[in-house]
Amino acid sequence: MNIKSLPHLIPSVLLLVGASTLTAAPELTFNDPKPQRYELTARASQIDPRAKEHPELEFVFTKKDKPADTERAMVDTRVKPQGKLVIWLMGYNGGLFERISSYGLHGIQVHYANGWFGKFSKLAPADDDKYLGKIRLEAATGEDFSSAVEIPKPDGMMERSYQFVKWLAKENPQGKWETFITDDGKGLRWDKVIISGASHGATTAARFAKHQRVDRVVMFCGPRDQLETWQGLPSATPENRYFGFSHVLDGGWSGDHYCRSWEMIGLHQFGPIVNVDQVKAPYGNTRRLITDADVKNDANKAHSSVTPGGAAVKNAAGEFIHEDVWRYLFNQPVDAVGQPGPADADCEKDLRGKEKKAK
């Protein structure tokens, strides 16, 4: 993918306003006598006695005599709530969660069977172009989608998230976590969920959203699975609800993994690829954002620079330069979209075929 080929001008914006005929739900409000930002933790194995370890997937409750199944949550009752729950599919990122809560979003990071990737990512058979996608879907749902793993419902992301939110509703009533539980009390309200992750987590977030409709998908440095085709499957989540952000020195970008997935999902329908260091928010209302901020030509740092943390780029005043990007990704109205454009000729789509030619 050649950054020099990207358009310098952003097309005019199409603002699509969806008029809802449904009766609006009562607005969520906090009634906390001591408004504050709450940070809560609990162990998955203590919340749900059905939870099991799967050592073969590097999915255990303890590592090096320390808890490995700790789950984390954050909500700020000083901020007007949006009534949406962010489920983060990677290791806990305190800086990201502080921002999520400052936007009026609830956030949780759950322990689920995601350690399989290092073991199975190189075992995909040549005749199965959805192999990893099926494992991702089983890890997310706890349903039998793959013959390569056996992950029961209590150990999937969906059930772990539900059990954690139930626990939070009891332990932190000030946070109104029950908002995200269905009326029958049997699961989460996925229409109120923003599913998000980075790298491996971004890829699973996208695969899950293809299967289960959610409010929004936020993908940092992802999706990958560059030799697979599940990205082009019909999506339960409308395509305009997917948002991606990557650094151009990230190997997933330079190798055309991300641009390929973004197009297969259909994100070119909602605007061009936009360099956030050249264009201000709302970035033409596009869904495909990139940065070429200075990371000392370090691809590993580039990979981590798109989320808050030690690798994120700061200005001369010591402030993160992508605050507006993070705010946009989680808050941009999904019905505000940019103009559709053609597929990018510089983005290689058949990476499986390219790999065969290289041998």
Side-chain angles (χ1 to χ4, degrees):
M1 186 65 185
N2 185 358
I3 185 174
K4 293 181 180 179
S5 69
L6 299 177
H8 295 289
L9 298 177
I10 304 305
S12 59
V13 174
L14 290 178
L15 183 61
L16 306 179
V17 180
S20 176
T21 58
L22 300 177
T23 303
E27 184 178 24
L28 176 64
T29 58
F30 292 130
N31 185 25
D32 188 354
K34 296 182 179 180
Q36 60 187 284
R37 187 176 70 203
Y38 292 93
E39 300 178 45
L40 305 108
T41 63
R43 295 189 64 178
S45 56
Q46 295 175 349
I47 291 175
D48 187 355
R50 302 172 303 162
K52 304 293 183 185
E53 293 183 301
H54 298 266
E56 74 282 5
L57 304 177
E58 297 183 20
F59 180 51
V60 295
F61 297 149
T62 304
K63 288 183 179 179
K64 297 181 179 179
D65 297 323
K66 295 182 179 180
D69 62 332
T70 300
E71 302 180 321
R72 294 172 173 84
M74 187 178 291
V75 63
D76 195 333
T77 59
R78 300 169 299 184
V79 181
K80 182 179 179 181
Q82 293 194 37
K84 296 179 182 180
L85 172 68
V86 177
I87 299 180
W88 178 247
L89 301 186
M90 285 299 287
Y92 185 66
N93 183 318
L96 180 66
F97 270 60
E98 288 174 9
R99 283 156 180 81
I100 287 170
S101 63
S102 76
Y103 306 152
L105 301 169
H106 292 62
I108 64 172
Q109 175 256 333
V110 295
H111 177 254
Y112 76 105
N114 60 7
W116 60 266
F117 187 73
K119 183 177 180 65
F120 291 95
S121 60
K122 298 179 181 180
L123 299 179
D127 61 348
D128 189 350
D129 62 3
K130 298 179 179 63
Y131 176 80
L132 296 178
K134 288 182 283 191
I135 300 177
R136 291 187 188 282
L137 200 52
E138 181 155 338
T141 63
E143 299 176 21
D144 186 15
F145 286 99
S146 170
S147 60
V149 297
E150 293 184 11
I151 303 172
K153 183 176 179 179
D155 302 325
M157 178 275 294
M158 293 182 78
E159 186 69 10
R160 288 285 172 94
S161 298
Y162 166 55
Q163 293 295 333
F164 191 26
V165 171
K166 277 206 309 180
W167 180 89
L168 289 165
K170 293 179 180 178
E171 297 295 322
N172 181 229
Q174 304 92 328
K176 298 291 185 69
W177 296 91
E178 66 278 4
T179 300
F180 308 110
I181 298 176
T182 57
D183 291 342
D184 63 9
K186 295 182 179 180
L188 291 185
R189 293 195 56 178
W190 292 98
D191 62 316
K192 293 181 176 291
V193 167
I194 297 173
I195 197 80
S196 182
S199 191
H200 174 35
T203 311
T204 296
R207 182 64 191 95
F208 177 69
K210 284 275 179 174
H211 170 78
Q212 170 67 55
R213 177 167 178 147
V214 294
D215 178 79
R216 181 184 305 243
V217 190
V218 179
M219 307 170 294
F220 295 98
C221 50
R224 275 188 149 157
D225 286 0
Q226 62 270 16
L227 303 182
E228 305 220 341
T229 61
W230 59 259
Q231 298 92 328
L233 291 172
S235 182
T237 302
E239 288 84 357
N240 63 310
R241 293 174 179 266
Y242 291 77
F243 293 76
F245 182 38
S246 171
H247 195 289
V248 298
L249 293 182
D250 182 329
W253 178 263
S254 59
D256 287 348
H257 306 173
Y258 305 156
C259 66
R260 169 186 181 271
S261 287
W262 289 354
E263 283 196 13
M264 292 178 72
I265 292 171
L267 303 192
H268 56 294
Q269 301 174 75
F270 312 111
I273 295 168
V274 172
N275 187 328
V276 300
D277 304 318
Q278 299 175 5
V279 179
K280 292 183 178 181
Y283 315 112
N285 293 319
T286 191
R287 299 300 186 260
R288 299 180 293 165
L289 303 178
I290 61 168
T291 173
D292 61 358
D294 183 14
V295 291
K296 310 303 180 186
N297 207 37
D298 185 335
N300 290 328
K301 186 174 182 181
H303 188 63
S304 303
S305 69
V306 293
T307 55
V313 180
K314 296 181 179 179
N315 59 22
E319 303 165 329
F320 289 123
I321 67 172
H322 291 140
E323 293 285 3
D324 288 344
V325 181
W326 299 328
R327 186 175 295 105
Y328 173 88
L329 292 168
F330 287 98
N331 297 284
Q332 168 71 356
V334 295
D335 289 330
V337 300
Q339 289 185 342
D344 189 343
D346 289 327
C347 181
E348 179 67 49
K349 309 302 191 304
D350 183 15
L351 296 179
R352 184 180 286 260
K354 185 176 182 180
E355 184 180 69
K356 289 179 180 178
K357 292 178 183 178
K359 293 181 179 180

